Amino acid sequence: MWKLLVKVVATAVVAANAAMAIQPYEPDEHTLHLWHLDEAGPPFKDDGVSPTPLLGLLNGAKAGQPPYPGFGAAISFQPEPGGDRDYGPILLAKPELDYGPKDNVDPPFPIMGIDGAFTIEALVKFEVMPADAEGLAFDIVSMDDEVTANRVFIFRVEKPGFLCFLPISGSAVRGGGLATLPTSGPHAANTTDWFHAAVAYDGREGAVNNLKLYWTKLESGHTGANMIGRGTLTADLGRQLADFAIGNTGNRQTGHAPREFFPGLIDEVRISSIARAPYDFCFVSEEEKNRLDEIMRRTPPQVPPLGMMLQQIQVGEVPVVLPKPGQPLVLGPGLHRLDFDFSFLPGVTADPLAVRCRLEGLGDEWHPAARGMTMEWEMLDAAGTVLTQRVFANTGSSAGWQIDALSSPMVPRTEPIFIPEGTRKIRVTLSSGAPDTTGTWVIDDIVLARSADPLNNLWEDGGFQEGERMNQIGGIPLYWERRGTEPAIARLMQMRGVSLGLLDAEQEHSALWTSTRDLGVRPAKGGETFLLSWTEAFNVIPGASLRASYLNVPPGEYAFQAIAMGSEPQPATASLTFPLRVKRPIWERDWFAPLAVAAGVMGTALLFFAAYRRRARHRLAEIKLQHAVERDRARIARDMHDDLGTRVTVLNLAASFVRRAIDGDPERARQQVVRLESAARDLVTAMDGLVWAVNPKNDTLDHLATHLSAVAQEIFRDSPVRLRIDIADDLPPLTLRSDFRHHFALGVKEALHNILKHAGACEATFALHLDHGDLVAEISDKGQGFDTAIPREGNGLVNLAARFTELGGTCVIESSPGEGTRAIFRCQIPKVPALPGA
């Protein structure tokens, strides 16, 4: 019990120390505003250098809620039943909301430093995940207004799970930042833990990636914030006054509620006049902050070398592994689409608009690198080869862009596009650009028409009315497909109708929509200029990456080159060179022709050799067949000499005995006549066997079985032996060689005769069947039997074994005195050689 108590106390101490490592902020000289939100109700004190207490806790927002341990209290913005759920809870600088200037924050209310830099941060805890929320977005901190001229910024979580910062100046959006909240790993968003959300801007107007977004799970041990994305502000925030609010927007819109309340808890809101370093937040200990500050003070500022680096190469829209430095990228044969993503080295202040690129070996012209999102139109011939290309790139925001695409007007755009004479198909690709490009682009109402017939739209379903699951963001319009390393970026936008869109908050992935259509008409001779139009709304935030694309790159040796002039303090020239090689097809390589000739010669020789071997095999088959015929003829002659000759001799002798005794000894003559008749019958039987043996019609397994069955019955007719025949009914119609059939039959007959001679009155069995391709004959009796270990006179059994050995088979004799005898003959059926020419 004592040990358990000690363990509990030790655990509590560890937890307390962990909580103490994360402390509420103490204001410093850069802290413009700091609201701890620990009060039980308004006013909420501001500990910044320009304090502004917050007075309006409205629409069910509740103070005094459980905070992260050690932080006093937090405010809940989860709406209560019966409250103003459409507008939602809010914490406002003024006591009440107003459609007009009455709820504007009082001056002075600085939100940035002299150079425009700022950091806005808060501790947040979700009660529901963004995708499951009732509202359209989760506003964390905003300075928005009903009057267009007064709008400044919104820092919030978008419903798809994006952390977003929108700088608003009048009716224009000046860049911004958009990054996907982590869904896995130590900082994955959830409804259990507290998180630190922050946006920091370094004050360098127009510089790429001057804005950083952070999302960090609150726990001790961090040495820095978890950066989830970058963005770009094209200008500093405005210094006008507007409705300042926490947990919602103070923009009291007419006609509909914004539904942007934060369904969860918010605490410890701070606005600073600098872009705070990643280690300058509440979850990093003071000792660690001081140590890193000291390192920064001792490290003299260095101007990074002017230079560029290659980030990624996509071949056919698929990223490839870059080779080791100095080695070329080697691609297989064929025509390739190549996309080069590259950027300046970190800290370089060169103008990305001044970058020029070329693929040396494909052409000598230098072209500007693409930034932002692009719409690419490619004109293809009947074989699918690209004849010409037109690219439309978008950065910044479209006219009238508000906070999101839903509230922004669709702006019409018309462009001339030249279509060559040989064009048969058109491929259009809407791309989210380099992986670190973020933002939104929505298009609708695509029209492609001849200049002479502008009302005839050649682009079918340009309004995206047909397709699969068109009421869902994951639907696919007719003729379109989505691709990329994160295809979910390409989605259907459910706005005032269905539109094609790219909603990209991924900092390391990209996606595209693409469609290939038949043109349907033949352009005029020499090519023709068509009119291309569509409507669009966009807010595109380019990252640091630039892109250069090259279509249908054929086999050859190339070098991708990029060059740019730097600006102060780096006015030098930056350049990038990367070699690559596309292999030529085998038939175009230097060694192919001699190898093909050699292969042709060898192939011809092989053909002659194959023909010679075929003739030789044919001749060999003829010889084998002739030899088999001669062997059968010799066997037949031998059988006729040995068997028939003997029987004819017996007939002659019997006839001469009859002639000599017919007058002198009639009784003996009658005996010889009987013998003569028996010999004649034996001669007929032998002749039948010989005719059966030489008749080719009997060269089948079923004929052999029938013949042996008849022979067995004939042998045991009028004998005391009871015969049982067991021949399988399913014997296949196999063809046998005549010599095999003859010798196999003679062996069986000899075994049957042995039973008749030696077994006595008994029961005998003759069985014939196939066993794994072997022909098996089994002759058994239950007669007298004999001892196989005692040598016997005569060569009958030896000859019988020799006969089957000659056939390539086996002969097994089993017998015991008084228990009968069993003979098993097994032979593999030989293949019958094909006739020449068959």
Side-chain angles (χ1 to χ4, degrees):
M1 184 69 180
W2 174 253
K3 290 183 178 180
L4 179 61
L5 180 60
V6 170
K7 184 176 181 181
V8 170
V9 172
T11 303
V13 170
V14 171
N17 289 336
M20 291 296 291
I22 303 177
Q23 295 292 318
Y25 286 120
E26 293 292 337
D28 58 21
E29 68 274 19
H30 306 298
T31 303
L32 299 175
H33 306 283
L34 174 59
W35 296 279
H36 295 294
L37 305 179
D38 294 337
E39 293 81 2
F44 294 92
K45 182 183 177 183
D46 182 353
D47 288 338
V49 297
S50 182
T52 298
L54 304 180
L55 306 177
L57 191 65
L58 310 174
N59 297 340
K62 293 181 292 185
Q65 301 303 301
Y68 184 82
F71 277 72
I75 293 181
S76 171
F77 295 89
Q78 179 75 4
E80 294 182 341
D84 188 354
R85 299 179 67 88
D86 285 337
Y87 195 90
I90 187 172
L91 176 58
L92 194 66
K94 289 299 183 73
E96 297 293 337
L97 283 163
D98 180 67
Y99 183 74
K102 291 182 180 180
D103 57 353
N104 285 355
V105 66
D106 292 330
F109 191 76
I111 57 171
M112 68 194 79
I114 297 175
D115 61 352
F118 64 82
T119 301
I120 302 172
E121 56 185 304
L123 305 186
V124 299
K125 182 176 184 292
F126 293 144
E127 293 291 338
V128 295
M129 295 300 291
D132 302 323
E134 299 178 12
L136 302 177
F138 292 8
D139 284 3
I140 302 174
V141 181
S142 67
M143 195 169 179
D144 200 359
D145 197 84
E146 301 83 11
V147 179
T148 301
N150 292 342
R151 308 181 72 186
V152 183
F153 73 86
I154 298 178
F155 181 42
R156 68 184 187 180
V157 175
E158 301 276 3
K159 191 176 181 67
F162 307 149
L163 186 64
C164 174
F165 182 81
L166 291 172
I168 312 170
S169 177
S171 60
V173 175
R174 297 181 174 182
L178 192 66
T180 302
L181 296 180
T183 57
S184 61
H187 303 284
N190 58 63
T191 58
T192 303
D193 299 303
W194 280 84
F195 294 87
H196 173 265
V199 55
Y201 166 62
D202 61 18
R204 298 184 301 138
E205 291 182 280
V208 176
N209 290 341
N210 54 24
L211 186 82
K212 294 180 175 62
L213 295 169
Y214 300 97
W215 180 264
T216 312
K217 179 181 175 182
L218 279 190
E219 56 185 1
S220 61
H222 289 307
T223 58
N226 176 50
M227 186 175 67
I228 61 172
R230 293 182 173 91
T232 301
L233 295 192
T234 57
D236 294 340
L237 295 180
R239 298 180 183 271
Q240 61 271 21
L241 300 178
D243 301 339
F244 180 80
I246 296 175
N248 207 330
T249 176
N251 184 349
R252 182 80 177 185
Q253 303 176 27
T254 59
H256 67 278
R259 298 179 62 81
E260 297 173 10
F261 56 88
F262 190 99
L265 301 172
I266 298 179
D267 195 7
E268 207 73 12
V269 177
R270 181 171 72 165
I271 300 178
S272 304
S273 60
I274 59 171
R276 290 193 180 268
Y279 60 84
D280 195 9
F281 295 118
C282 64
F283 45 81
V284 180
S285 66
E286 290 300 321
E287 294 78 6
E288 184 67 16
K289 291 180 185 179
N290 294 334
R291 185 183 70 84
L292 295 173
D293 273 337
E294 184 63 25
I295 293 175
M296 294 296 293
R297 283 193 295 270
R298 292 182 179 182
T299 304
Q302 295 181 350
V303 177
L306 184 64
M308 292 185 285
M309 60 180 179
L310 186 65
Q311 297 173 311
Q312 175 182 270
I313 298 178
Q314 294 188 22
V315 179
E317 302 163 4
V318 177
V320 297
V321 178
L322 297 179
K324 295 180 180 179
Q327 296 183 356
L329 175 66
V330 180
L331 303 178
L335 300 175
H336 297 281
R337 175 194 173 109
L338 304 179
D339 295 300
F340 297 87
D341 293 334
F342 62 101
S343 68
F344 291 101
L345 295 176
V348 172
T349 58
D351 181 7
L353 297 178
V355 177
R356 295 292 182 270
C357 309
R358 73 174 179 180
L359 190 61
E360 187 179 30
L362 187 66
D364 296 330
E365 295 186 29
W366 294 84
H367 301 280
R371 300 183 72 226
M373 299 183 180
T374 60
M375 181 193 290
E376 182 179 281
W377 288 75
E378 301 168 82
M379 275 50 76
L380 315 176
D381 63 13
T385 304
V386 178
L387 302 178
T388 186
Q389 173 195 30
R390 181 78 187 275
V391 179
F392 306 100
N394 272 347
T395 58
S397 57
S398 58
W401 179 268
Q402 301 297 310
I403 296 174
D404 52 33
L406 185 63
S407 58
S408 302
M410 297 290 285
V411 180
R413 181 172 177 179
T414 301
E415 299 282 352
I417 184 170
F418 179 75
I419 299 182
E421 177 183 350
T423 302
R424 297 296 177 266
K425 296 183 179 182
I426 292 181
R427 179 169 59 221
V428 60
T429 302
L430 188 70
S431 170
S432 65
D436 63 350
T437 298
T438 56
T440 304
W441 190 7
V442 181
I443 67 168
D444 204 349
D445 301 323
I446 300 176
V447 175
L448 179 66
R450 281 181 148 149
S451 303
D453 189 11
L455 298 181
N456 182 21
N457 186 7
L458 302 175
W459 192 262
E460 184 180 352
D461 193 33
F464 309 106
Q465 301 300 313
E466 302 178 41
E468 301 177 9
R469 308 185 308 279
M470 297 299 287
N471 61 339
Q472 304 175 23
I473 62 174
I476 302 176
L478 187 65
Y479 305 122
W480 290 85
E481 63 175 313
R482 56 166 60 87
R483 296 204 298 265
T485 57
E486 182 48 75
I489 292 171
R491 57 180 64 191
L492 291 186
M493 309 296 286
Q494 308 293 330
M495 298 170 43
R496 291 161 290 275
V498 180
S499 302
L500 202 67
L502 296 168
L503 183 54
D504 187 357
E506 293 285 344
Q507 300 277 331
E508 297 179 353
H509 296 281
S510 59
L512 54 84
W513 284 107
T514 184
S515 177
T516 302
R517 316 275 186 92
D518 291 328
L519 180 57
V521 297
R522 297 293 178 91
K525 186 175 180 61
E528 184 178 348
T529 299
F530 284 60
L531 293 178
L532 173 63
S533 65
W534 68 91
T535 58
E536 64 182 0
F538 61 86
N539 180 40
V540 178
I541 307 166
S545 298
L546 303 170
R547 171 168 287 189
S549 300
Y550 301 92
L551 307 177
N552 290 348
V553 178
E557 304 282 341
Y558 303 99
F560 171 69
Q561 298 176 335
I563 191 169
M565 291 295 295
S567 55
E568 293 296 339
Q570 301 162 317
T573 300
S575 62
L576 171 68
T577 300
F578 181 82
L580 64 109
R581 177 166 62 91
V582 180
K583 293 180 179 179
R584 289 183 293 170
I586 292 178
W587 56 86
E588 293 183 4
R589 301 182 188 180
D590 295 337
W591 49 265
F592 179 78
L595 182 62
V597 173
V601 172
M602 183 176 293
T604 303
L606 289 175
L607 288 176
F608 278 111
F609 180 69
Y612 170 76
R613 289 194 62 187
R614 186 167 57 252
R615 289 195 300 270
R617 286 196 300 268
H618 187 80
R619 178 58 180 162
L620 181 61
E622 289 180 345
I623 293 173
K624 286 183 177 179
L625 182 61
Q626 183 177 358
H627 178 66
V629 172
E630 290 177 352
R631 186 171 61 248
D632 282 347
R633 291 174 62 187
R635 175 179 56 80
I636 293 170
R638 183 176 65 251
D639 290 345
M640 291 182 68
H641 178 271
D642 295 343
D643 192 9
L644 298 183
T646 300
R647 296 180 187 278
V648 169
T649 300
V650 171
L651 285 174
N652 288 331
L653 289 175
S656 67
F657 282 139
V658 169
R659 187 176 59 254
R660 289 196 300 269
I662 194 169
D663 295 328
D665 192 353
E667 182 63 29
R668 188 174 182 182
R670 282 195 297 271
Q671 293 177 355
Q672 291 298 327
V673 169
V674 173
R675 182 182 178 190
L676 184 61
E677 290 175 349
S678 177
R681 285 196 300 270
D682 290 343
L683 178 61
V684 171
T685 301
M687 285 295 296
D688 288 342
L690 183 60
V691 171
W692 175 84
V694 300
N695 190 349
K697 292 183 179 180
N698 298 322
D699 288 344
T700 60
L701 182 57
D702 53 346
H703 278 92
L704 174 62
T706 302
H707 175 72
L708 292 178
S709 176
V711 167
Q713 294 179 49
E714 180 66 26
I715 290 175
F716 294 110
R717 180 181 298 170
D718 301 328
S719 74
V721 177
R722 297 188 305 276
L723 175 67
R724 185 169 66 88
I725 298 175
D726 183 11
I727 298 178
D729 295 332
D730 57 349
L731 291 177
L734 297 177
T735 302
L736 305 176
R737 284 197 336 226
S738 60
D739 59 337
F740 173 85
R741 177 168 55 85
H742 176 68
H743 288 292
F744 193 91
L746 289 180
V748 171
K749 287 170 64 177
E750 187 171 351
L752 294 173
H753 277 292
N754 286 338
I755 293 176
L756 184 64
K757 293 178 183 178
H758 306 292
C762 64
E763 182 179 325
T765 301
F766 167 54
L768 185 70
H769 64 277
L770 282 177
D771 182 20
H772 297 89
D774 292 347
L775 182 61
V776 180
E778 183 174 341
I779 300 98
S780 61
D781 65 75
K782 297 181 180 180
Q784 296 179 5
F786 62 93
D787 189 350
T788 57
I790 299 176
R792 298 178 62 83
E793 296 180 359
N795 297 320
L797 295 180
V798 176
N799 292 339
L800 191 61
R803 183 184 296 276
F804 284 98
T805 301
E806 183 179 351
L807 290 178
T810 59
C811 171
V812 178
I813 306 295
E814 300 173 351
S815 183
S816 296
E819 296 184 3
T821 304
R822 184 171 70 161
I824 302 173
F825 308 141
R826 177 185 292 269
C827 293
Q828 184 176 10
I829 298 178
K831 294 182 179 180
V832 178
L835 294 175

